[in-house]
Amino acid sequence: MKKIVWKLKVWSGKAFRMLLYWIYGFDQWHLFTLTERNYARDIIAYCNSRSIRNSFAEIGCGLGDILRNVKFTQRLGLDNDKNVLAAAAFLNKLYFKKNIRLGVFYFPESDFEGSYNVIVMVNWIHHVEPLTLKKKIEEYFEWFLQDGGVIIIDTVQDPEYEFNHNISFLTENVNCELVKIGDYERNREVWSIIKVKSK
Ligand SMILES: C[S@@+](CC[C@H](N)C(=O)[O-])C[C@H]1O[C@@H](n2cnc3c(N)ncnc32)[C@H](O)[C@@H]1O
């Protein structure tokens, strides 16, 4: 019975996404529903369990599945694909999500701004060269993350991906605690890089 309910959720979600895909013309990857993505659901649960939930940002937010489901006072979604952002804006209206801002952002070139409790960058950073990613993590950690806040990223260990990141290398220069949120298919690990409060 559980399996049937799961399948119904996935099929109905996919049919709706297919419709959006025809209208907005975004990448086919976004046909995957949130129901199918354990890592994303775990990130949502982790963020919603945090005690301070003022400001949340996701770079590479896609349709905003994570963004729409985290309970933060202010939410910002950034992506380099204006088609997927247009579809995300439609979904925000459909689900009456008023406190979500969206914007076009090209990592690593675009200037980031603001101050956040949580910054998420998952399921696309395997396209970013390690040293570039490391430098940006250091910059965001130092300038845009509040004390006690977290940057959430994923690492994969699979030769089919462009870059396999090493979490120790990426975080060796920041004063952080590391918590692993979970392990997923294709040796994907999702990490929370916690900014240790300054004394
Ligand atoms: C595979 S989707 C993941 C969406 C979301 N993070 C999730 O896990 O549910 C990757 C998203 O990141 C965006 N993206 C990829 N490279 C990017 C970059 N360099 N700068 C900004 N967005 C990027 C893509 O347009 C796409 O919407």
Side-chain angles (χ1 to χ4, degrees):
M1 185 65 189
K2 250 182 155 179
K3 189 91 187 157
I4 294 173
V5 172
W6 188 87
K7 278 190 175 167
L8 279 174
K9 257 178 117 176
V10 170
W11 288 341
S12 56
K14 275 201 190 303
F16 181 49
R17 276 161 195 255
M18 196 64 92
L19 188 66
L20 294 178
Y21 167 73
W22 279 324
I23 297 170
Y24 291 99
F26 47 66
D27 189 276
Q28 281 193 8
W29 182 90
H30 301 289
L31 297 177
F32 284 115
T33 62
L34 182 57
T35 314
E36 295 165 279
R37 303 201 323 273
N38 291 340
Y39 75 90
R41 285 186 286 112
D42 286 353
I43 291 171
I44 293 166
Y46 176 82
C47 292
N48 286 342
S49 72
R50 297 191 61 75
S51 53
I52 302 173
R53 284 178 283 120
N54 300 323
S55 50
F56 176 99
E58 182 179 5
I59 302 175
C61 64
L63 284 179
D65 293 326
I66 295 174
L67 197 60
R68 265 193 316 284
N69 287 289
V70 290
K71 296 181 174 67
F72 281 62
T73 313
Q74 290 181 25
R75 289 172 276 184
L76 172 67
L78 302 168
D79 203 287
N80 66 3
D81 176 0
K82 61 179 178 11
N83 292 346
V84 86
L85 285 174
F90 167 76
L91 289 173
N92 291 347
K93 276 199 190 131
L94 186 71
Y95 296 115
F96 302 103
K97 304 287 182 185
K98 287 189 180 147
N99 65 338
I100 301 181
R101 287 183 300 127
L102 297 171
V104 178
F105 187 93
Y106 297 87
F107 184 94
E109 300 90 353
S110 296
D111 288 330
F112 195 45
E113 48 189 48
S115 173
Y116 303 94
N117 308 122
V118 176
I119 300 169
V120 175
M121 301 192 285
V122 289
N123 213 346
W124 57 272
I125 56 173
H126 47 264
H127 294 301
V128 182
E129 189 273 320
L131 197 56
T132 304
L133 180 61
K134 179 189 172 94
K135 295 276 170 226
K136 280 288 163 187
I137 288 173
E138 289 170 9
E139 181 189 326
Y140 294 174
F141 194 90
E142 173 76 13
W143 301 106
F144 306 108
L145 190 66
Q146 294 171 15
D147 276 353
V150 301
I151 294 180
I152 296 175
I153 62 166
D154 62 336
T155 57
V156 288
Q157 306 307 322
D158 182 332
E160 285 195 9
Y161 282 103
E162 199 172 349
F163 294 106
N164 288 187
H165 293 301
N166 177 320
I167 192 68
S168 305
F169 169 75
L170 293 176
T171 59
E172 67 187 0
N173 294 336
V174 293
N175 185 17
C176 70
E177 278 169 24
L178 282 178
V179 167
K180 195 201 276 183
I181 295 178
D183 290 284
Y184 307 90
E185 68 286 353
R186 302 179 76 175
N187 290 323
R188 182 186 305 279
E189 296 178 329
V190 175
W191 296 94
S192 175
I193 307 167
I194 306 171
K195 186 170 186 173
V196 176
K197 285 193 176 110
S198 44
K199 294 188 182 125

